[in-house]
Amino acid sequence: MSAQTPEVSAPASVKGNGSENDSSVKPAGHGQGPLVAQDPEIGFEGSDELSNEQMKKLATAGNAHFHRLGWKRLVIVTIVEAIALGALSLPAAYDTLGMFPGVFLTITLGLVSIFTSYLVGQVKLKYPATANYADAGRLLLGRFGYELFGAAMVLELVMIVGSHALTGSIALGDLNNGRVCSVGFSAISAIILFVLAIPPSFSEVAILGYIDFASIIAAIGITIIAAGVQASHSAGGLSGVDWRTMPKEGLGFAEAFVAVSNIILAFSFAIGQFSFMDEMHTPGDYMKSIWASGFIQIAIYTLTGALCYAFIGTSVLSPALLSAGPTVSKVAFGVALPVIFISGSINSTVALRYIHGRIWKKSIVRYINTPRGWFWWISLAAAFTVVAWIIAEAIPIFSDLLSLASALFVSGFSFWIPAIMWFYLLCDGPWFSRKNILISLGSILAFIIGIVTLGVGTWATIKDIVDQTSHGATHKPFSCRPLPSAK
């Protein structure tokens, strides 16, 4: 979330107009779109220090600091936010669904995600004061929408950060041959995630993003090459690898949809798009980054899923680098450590910018360029990371709980909410008119995908939770977890 308030791009004392007490998100343009009623004060900070003349220069500099993001860096930020070791879970999804359905769904859902990201960007351009998804909720549902969308966004992001702490413990445990309890490694991972979340600006995070992107490409490349070499040297060579073109026999609906959900949730970068665009110095360039990052993600996901599955077959693990052999998996995990932590930390930054900006909306603290600003930013980052770690370690069925939260929230952030925003906030004239019909049909498709994911994904995840708990397949809170093993 940006350091600025939802209602203004700079303090009233700096801009010379507007009011700090006006907390509504107003439609841009000439009265087009629905008007949003003014809400009562939403922030918690009651200070009027931004009206102090002595703060003008500091506030102006702080506001400018958070508007330095260009579209090229936005490509990196978007990719980093979306792609992590989850890309290496797709081969296992392809094993469940079959090669052809897996590739088809990856490409199709990727294109739909690009389309919904276009809609999100159009909302940001029409309503430039929309600094985060919570503000978008206020455009749709007033104060209730602001609170609902904000809570959903923070809950989803805190669980994603927790999942990165657990992934870090798996990577470090694999490098250590499991000689150290996973709880210790997840705590170390949480500390690293906290440190990397300290830079508050996405333009600064983008610098780390270049390292992250190189890391995941290298890890995926090592995994694919090693798997290909192993397959070529196995009995029967590449033709002897046991992989399926279509779904496996006896595939249950719930299991199939969990695999589909893994692909859907791989394209979940829309949750941070309002926040990312809020830092752009030229927001109109956002589609350049969406086209680039969208097609890069489709290519990476499709090639990773298809090649790893074709080389490893039905014995593929999740993440797939665990199937590359003990030595290669250690090399791949070592190379992938940056992506585990940098991708996780950027999710912390998205949530923290919303929380910090809301608490200190009327204070110079929001610009994070004073000792007090840094103190509260670092304190919030530490608290957020600790909460994420505790949730991840304390809940025995955390992976299923993450899937449940994703089915409930990401299905909306990435699919059905952008579709609603088209009809409610963007569509000018009848939805079926010649100029609107294609976007309207695309929005209807996105809405169906999102609602099906919401309903069926929630049911499938709950069913899996019941099955695991009834069969005793869970572990105790804060206990040592074994490394993933073969199917």
mmCIF file of all heavy atoms in Angstrom, residues 40 50 79 129 177 182 211-213 361 405 438:
data_model
loop_
_atom_site.group_PDB
_atom_site.id
_atom_site.type_symbol
_atom_site.label_atom_id
_atom_site.label_comp_id
_atom_site.label_asym_id
_atom_site.label_seq_id
_atom_site.Cartn_x
_atom_site.Cartn_y
_atom_site.Cartn_z
ATOM 1 N N PRO A 40 -17.155 7.993 7.445
ATOM 2 C CA PRO A 40 -16.536 8.592 8.617
ATOM 3 C C PRO A 40 -15.050 8.288 8.640
ATOM 4 O O PRO A 40 -14.569 7.466 7.863
ATOM 5 C CB PRO A 40 -17.273 7.902 9.783
ATOM 6 C CG PRO A 40 -17.790 6.626 9.202
ATOM 7 C CD PRO A 40 -18.124 6.945 7.780
ATOM 8 N N LEU A 50 0.460 17.132 9.655
ATOM 9 C CA LEU A 50 0.738 17.391 8.247
ATOM 10 C C LEU A 50 0.339 18.812 7.845
ATOM 11 O O LEU A 50 0.726 19.282 6.783
ATOM 12 C CB LEU A 50 0.012 16.378 7.364
ATOM 13 C CG LEU A 50 0.621 14.978 7.352
ATOM 14 C CD1 LEU A 50 -0.165 14.071 6.424
ATOM 15 C CD2 LEU A 50 2.072 15.005 6.935
ATOM 16 N N ILE A 79 6.191 -10.048 -11.375
ATOM 17 C CA ILE A 79 6.683 -11.419 -11.522
ATOM 18 C C ILE A 79 7.126 -11.976 -10.172
ATOM 19 O O ILE A 79 6.799 -13.111 -9.806
ATOM 20 C CB ILE A 79 7.839 -11.466 -12.529
ATOM 21 C CG1 ILE A 79 7.311 -11.213 -13.949
ATOM 22 C CG2 ILE A 79 8.555 -12.814 -12.483
ATOM 23 C CD1 ILE A 79 8.387 -11.116 -14.996
ATOM 24 N N ALA A 129 -7.251 7.767 -6.798
ATOM 25 C CA ALA A 129 -7.042 7.744 -5.349
ATOM 26 C C ALA A 129 -7.145 6.343 -4.768
ATOM 27 O O ALA A 129 -6.944 6.146 -3.576
ATOM 28 C CB ALA A 129 -8.063 8.655 -4.661
ATOM 29 N N ASN A 177 20.128 -32.021 5.121
ATOM 30 C CA ASN A 177 19.761 -33.436 5.231
ATOM 31 C C ASN A 177 18.837 -33.714 6.410
ATOM 32 O O ASN A 177 18.839 -34.815 6.985
ATOM 33 C CB ASN A 177 21.009 -34.327 5.335
ATOM 34 C CG ASN A 177 21.809 -34.331 4.048
ATOM 35 O OD1 ASN A 177 21.243 -34.353 2.958
ATOM 36 N ND2 ASN A 177 23.131 -34.290 4.172
ATOM 37 N N SER A 182 12.696 -28.673 11.724
ATOM 38 C CA SER A 182 12.135 -27.725 10.765
ATOM 39 C C SER A 182 11.658 -26.438 11.440
ATOM 40 O O SER A 182 11.628 -25.385 10.812
ATOM 41 C CB SER A 182 10.971 -28.380 10.016
ATOM 42 O OG SER A 182 9.931 -28.740 10.904
ATOM 43 N N ILE A 211 17.403 -10.138 -8.661
ATOM 44 C CA ILE A 211 18.063 -11.311 -8.084
ATOM 45 C C ILE A 211 17.071 -12.468 -7.981
ATOM 46 O O ILE A 211 17.380 -13.619 -8.296
ATOM 47 C CB ILE A 211 18.635 -10.972 -6.692
ATOM 48 C CG1 ILE A 211 19.642 -9.816 -6.792
ATOM 49 C CG2 ILE A 211 19.272 -12.197 -6.055
ATOM 50 C CD1 ILE A 211 20.134 -9.311 -5.452
ATOM 51 N N ASP A 212 15.861 -12.133 -7.528
ATOM 52 C CA ASP A 212 14.806 -13.130 -7.390
ATOM 53 C C ASP A 212 14.511 -13.807 -8.723
ATOM 54 O O ASP A 212 14.418 -15.039 -8.815
ATOM 55 C CB ASP A 212 13.548 -12.439 -6.853
ATOM 56 C CG ASP A 212 12.388 -13.395 -6.655
ATOM 57 O OD1 ASP A 212 11.815 -13.846 -7.667
ATOM 58 O OD2 ASP A 212 12.045 -13.673 -5.493
ATOM 59 N N PHE A 213 14.339 -13.007 -9.772
ATOM 60 C CA PHE A 213 13.991 -13.551 -11.084
ATOM 61 C C PHE A 213 15.105 -14.457 -11.613
ATOM 62 O O PHE A 213 14.838 -15.551 -12.123
ATOM 63 C CB PHE A 213 13.729 -12.409 -12.063
ATOM 64 C CG PHE A 213 13.258 -12.863 -13.417
ATOM 65 C CD1 PHE A 213 12.030 -13.486 -13.560
ATOM 66 C CD2 PHE A 213 14.039 -12.688 -14.539
ATOM 67 C CE1 PHE A 213 11.588 -13.917 -14.805
ATOM 68 C CE2 PHE A 213 13.607 -13.108 -15.795
ATOM 69 C CZ PHE A 213 12.368 -13.726 -15.921
ATOM 70 N N LYS A 361 -2.360 7.701 8.617
ATOM 71 C CA LYS A 361 -2.846 8.428 7.447
ATOM 72 C C LYS A 361 -2.753 9.939 7.589
ATOM 73 O O LYS A 361 -2.691 10.657 6.596
ATOM 74 C CB LYS A 361 -4.278 8.011 7.120
ATOM 75 C CG LYS A 361 -5.310 8.470 8.124
ATOM 76 C CD LYS A 361 -6.707 7.920 7.773
ATOM 77 C CE LYS A 361 -7.233 8.501 6.505
ATOM 78 N NZ LYS A 361 -8.009 9.721 6.716
ATOM 79 N N ALA A 405 -7.981 -20.210 2.185
ATOM 80 C CA ALA A 405 -7.952 -18.749 2.110
ATOM 81 C C ALA A 405 -7.805 -18.281 0.668
ATOM 82 O O ALA A 405 -8.408 -17.279 0.259
ATOM 83 C CB ALA A 405 -6.803 -18.203 2.966
ATOM 84 N N LEU A 438 -17.246 -7.385 -26.117
ATOM 85 C CA LEU A 438 -16.121 -8.305 -25.938
ATOM 86 C C LEU A 438 -15.606 -8.276 -24.499
ATOM 87 O O LEU A 438 -15.341 -9.331 -23.897
ATOM 88 C CB LEU A 438 -14.994 -7.954 -26.919
ATOM 89 C CG LEU A 438 -15.275 -8.262 -28.390
ATOM 90 C CD1 LEU A 438 -14.081 -7.850 -29.257
ATOM 91 C CD2 LEU A 438 -15.578 -9.747 -28.591
#
